Amino acid sequence: MPKRQSLMIKKVEKESIAEIMGIRPGDQLLEINGHPIRDIIDYQFYSADEILDCTFLTNNKVKKIQI
């Protein structure tokens, strides 16, 4: 099975929505609104939507959150 591409979270701002939702440095952002996130360009393009359904890999578990 090929390795799933993702973008690693390097920093989470204190008291941000991401921190409140439990996202931590080292987590992997897999998808935004069903689109795979392979690099910063994908992230910038797909994060422009008003509502973001995000899929993360955290502690070897898939976690879905809406921002």
Side-chain angles (χ1 to χ4, degrees), residues 43-59:
Y43 169 78
Q44 290 173 333
F45 184 80
Y46 293 116
S47 67
D49 290 341
E50 189 172 322
I51 296 175
L52 306 176
D53 290 317
C54 301
T55 304
F56 291 90
L57 183 64
T58 180
N59 296 324

Side-chain angles (χ1 to χ4, degrees), residues 19-40:
E19 183 186 54
I20 291 166
M21 299 300 285
I23 303 306
R24 302 288 177 251
D27 290 353
Q28 301 286 323
L29 176 58
L30 303 174
E31 296 178 349
I32 295 176
N33 295 340
H35 302 283
I37 304 301
R38 297 167 293 210
D39 55 33
I40 193 68

